[in-house]
Amino acid sequence: MKYYQDITLLPDAEVSLGFIWEKVYQQIHLLLVENKTAESQSQLGLSFPMYGDKTFPLGNQLRLVAESEGQLIQANVNQWLQRLNDYVHVKSIKTVPSEVNEYACFYRVNPKSQQRRLKQLDRRVAFLSQKHGVGEEVMRAQLLASIEQSSGESKLPYINVQSLSSSNVEQQHKFMLFIHCEMCSQPKDNGNLFTCYGLSSKEKGKQPVFVPWF
């Protein structure tokens, strides 16, 4: 990856950083889907320069990375984040520094226990919201929080993401995208692409994709 573009998230007293992450990442996911090169494959990747921050696990910065400047220009991230102008600052496209000596691989972790509970989520939301007399969105948020707390991977940074896997809006659901970071000093240039979440694929037989870490 030779070019990058940084996005800084700007929370305030009324809007939390976690909420902004959710909205920004959803738009970036849509951007990557729109610009995908094949089914579930993207030439554009993501980096989290402040991953592991003590104040907020993902920090307040998101970085788009690409092999060419033209790919970032074509993606036009400013357009995708236009309605979030009050909460983000998009910087200009820059060249990756030549002295980079560390690389990071970001990939999704999906705990089996969490996966099973998420599959049951929609059915439980409808039943429990009726039983307790609360709205389905309120009940969904409560159940998602419960899944997070009981997950063995809950210590990893995560973002709440709206699934786009179905064209039926009613069948789309939110899930917690847990993100793991793996570091190395000399990655192999294997030519693999990112997923449409901007992360490295962890499919069996595929080599991970590392991005410059600086």
Side-chain angles (χ1 to χ4, degrees), residues 47-54 56-62 213-214:
S47 178
F48 304 84
M50 297 181 67
Y51 184 95
D53 183 74
K54 292 182 179 179
F56 191 87
L58 287 173
N60 69 336
Q61 195 172 45
L62 178 63
W213 178 261
F214 57 96

Side-chain angles (χ1 to χ4, degrees), residues 1 22 43 48 54 61 86 110 130 168-169 179 212:
M1 301 290 110
E22 179 180 339
Q43 290 181 316
F48 304 84
K54 292 182 179 179
Q61 195 172 45
D86 292 341
N110 194 7
Q130 185 176 11
N168 187 336
V169 176
I179 300 173

Side-chain angles (χ1 to χ4, degrees), residues 27-30 54 57 62 67 69 97 99 102 113 119 129 132-133 135 147 152 172-173 180 187 199 206 214:
Q27 289 302 109
I28 296 298
H29 177 36
L30 288 168
K54 292 182 179 179
L62 178 63
E67 189 65 25
E69 183 179 15
E99 67 273 11
E102 273 194 299
S113 59
K119 286 182 179 179
S129 63
H132 296 288
I147 293 173
Q172 295 176 359
H173 63 277
H180 184 79
L199 306 176
K206 285 190 176 181
F214 57 96

Side-chain angles (χ1 to χ4, degrees), residues 58-194:
L58 287 173
N60 69 336
Q61 195 172 45
L62 178 63
R63 176 173 292 160
L64 275 166
V65 295
E67 189 65 25
S68 73
E69 183 179 15
Q71 290 169 341
L72 290 173
I73 293 173
Q74 181 178 341
N76 195 2
V77 67
N78 282 289
Q79 177 182 338
W80 289 90
L81 297 180
Q82 187 173 10
R83 66 187 182 90
L84 299 171
N85 275 343
D86 292 341
Y87 305 108
V88 298
H89 173 60
V90 181
K91 297 184 179 179
S92 60
I93 300 170
K94 296 181 180 179
T95 306
V96 171
S98 58
E99 67 273 11
V100 172
N101 53 25
E102 273 194 299
Y103 297 83
C105 172
F106 296 97
Y107 58 88
R108 178 183 177 184
V109 173
N110 194 7
K112 291 182 179 180
S113 59
Q114 183 208 46
Q115 191 175 29
R116 287 196 298 269
R117 296 184 68 185
L118 285 174
K119 286 182 179 179
Q120 301 171 352
L121 183 65
D122 289 334
R123 186 176 68 228
R124 295 182 65 203
V125 164
F127 172 75
L128 292 175
S129 63
Q130 185 176 11
K131 179 180 178 181
H132 296 288
V134 299
E136 291 195 2
E137 287 303 313
V138 174
M139 182 55 64
R140 181 182 297 277
Q142 292 176 356
L143 291 176
L144 281 171
S146 174
I147 293 173
E148 173 204 342
Q149 291 171 1
S150 62
S151 170
E153 298 292 343
S154 62
K155 293 182 180 179
L156 285 176
Y158 73 91
I159 305 171
N160 287 318
V161 179
Q162 182 81 26
S163 170
L164 302 177
S165 58
S166 173
S167 57
N168 187 336
V169 176
E170 294 182 356
Q171 293 180 358
Q172 295 176 359
H173 63 277
K174 280 188 178 181
F175 65 93
M176 289 177 289
L177 182 72
F178 287 96
I179 300 173
H180 184 79
C181 177
E182 179 181 326
M183 304 292 296
C184 81
S185 58
Q186 293 183 329
K188 293 182 179 179
D189 185 6
N190 49 49
N192 284 342
L193 300 179
F194 301 92

